[in-house]
Amino acid sequence: MISPKAFLSLPINFNDICYIYPAKVKDIVGNENFPAFRSLLTSSQEDLQDLYTEKNIQDTPPTPFEYLLSLYYNNKPVQDLIERAFYFFTHEQVIVLPIAKKIIIGTKEDVAKATSLDKVKMIDEDNFFDFQNAIRLSLGEKSVERPDPDEDPRIARIKAKARYRDKIKAKKGDGLSLTATLASICCMDFGLNPLNIGEISYASIGTLIRYYQEKDKYHTDVSSLLAGADSKQVH
């Protein structure tokens, strides 16, 4: 079950550091950089491990926070993309400090007004993992568990193979496109149509479809029972 705030597209407080704003459908559709924004801020340790494996890189992959900072360092186009990714989700400007390994939430003026270092709102290695999960929460996605440094290598390999199968399945396009999904919701007769569906949260899409399907199945099962179906075969 997703967060009520994500469902209603209400700001989510992240550790009193910043608010994360669940994107609406129109925000996602209207921003061609959204896939990049999501990837930059939610890539997990396992994603990076898979990336290194695919590219046959033997080194130990960096942490997601280290990887983000390395992408930012000395690359102006990527710097702009990362800063816009933070603004997309937090509605705040950021100051990225790759050498200091800090990301300050706010402007230079905000930092100048701070009476002490404790008053400066920052994201660092310690809280970036939780920040990523807050972003996932705002999108209606599952949280990711912290990597276990003592995990059995055999289990890690099994998990890696499962992730690879999931990626292959996703590439085959078994699921509906976003357009088809939105069109389906517009046909569910609860007041959404092309004129207003852009106002619902992106996170709510999966929940709306799931409960509509369960409701539809319930009515179908009741009709089957009334028509004489075997109650042992209808759940």
Side-chain angles (χ1 to χ4, degrees):
M1 176 60 69
I2 69 171
S3 158
K5 288 190 174 182
F7 186 82
L8 296 175
S9 197
L10 297 174
I12 299 169
N13 187 342
F14 172 65
N15 295 352
D16 291 329
I17 295 174
C18 63
Y19 282 93
I20 293 173
Y21 293 79
K24 295 181 178 181
V25 168
K26 66 179 182 181
D27 300 326
I28 303 296
V29 176
N31 195 320
E32 61 183 13
N33 289 311
F34 169 72
F37 292 167
R38 173 161 57 182
S39 177
L40 285 167
L41 298 190
T42 64
S43 289
S44 67
Q45 192 68 56
E46 291 177 335
D47 292 330
L48 296 179
Q49 182 63 62
D50 293 345
L51 177 65
Y52 270 47
T53 300
E54 290 170 7
K55 293 188 175 183
N56 198 27
I57 300 174
Q58 301 302 316
D59 297 335
T60 301
T63 66
F65 189 66
E66 290 171 337
Y67 183 66
L68 182 69
L69 294 179
S70 70
L71 292 176
Y72 188 91
Y73 190 72
N74 275 342
N75 192 324
K76 188 62 178 71
V78 176
Q79 289 175 6
D80 181 63
L81 198 62
I82 290 174
E83 289 170 1
R84 284 192 288 144
F86 274 98
Y87 190 83
F88 181 86
F89 288 106
T90 69
H91 296 185
E92 298 248 31
Q93 295 182 38
V94 296
I95 302 172
V96 183
L97 306 173
I99 303 301
K101 295 186 177 180
K102 305 287 184 183
I103 297 176
I104 296 174
I105 303 295
T107 63
K108 293 180 180 178
E109 289 75 15
D110 296 326
V111 175
K113 293 177 183 176
T115 55
S116 68
L117 188 60
D118 293 339
K119 301 295 183 180
V120 179
K121 298 179 179 180
M122 292 185 291
I123 293 175
D124 55 22
E125 185 70 73
D126 292 335
N127 61 17
F128 186 65
F129 181 86
D130 293 330
F131 178 78
Q132 287 188 301
N133 270 338
I135 295 290
R136 295 184 184 103
L137 175 69
S138 77
L139 296 173
E141 299 175 357
K142 293 181 179 179
S143 296
V144 171
E145 295 182 0
R146 288 185 180 276
D148 180 4
D150 300 320
E151 184 175 56
D152 188 320
R154 292 171 297 179
I155 296 177
R157 286 194 293 270
I158 292 173
K159 289 182 177 179
K161 290 180 179 179
R163 292 195 302 273
Y164 179 76
R165 288 195 299 269
D166 291 341
K167 288 180 181 179
I168 294 298
K169 183 178 179 180
K171 287 180 180 180
K172 290 181 179 180
D174 293 337
L176 292 175
S177 67
L178 180 57
T179 301
T181 299
L182 296 178
S184 298
I185 293 175
C186 288
C187 296
M188 292 179 182
D189 296 327
F190 44 67
L192 291 175
N193 58 65
L195 298 178
N196 61 20
I197 195 170
E199 297 298 328
I200 69 172
S201 69
Y202 179 77
S204 70
I205 291 177
T207 300
L208 289 174
I209 291 177
R210 173 192 166 193
Y211 279 99
Y212 179 83
Q213 290 173 335
E214 290 184 2
K215 174 187 173 183
D216 186 60
K217 182 180 183 303
Y218 170 78
H219 287 302
T220 300
D221 288 348
V222 169
S223 297
S224 297
L225 290 172
L226 293 175
D230 185 352
S231 61
K232 294 181 180 180
Q233 301 299 320
V234 178
H235 304 285

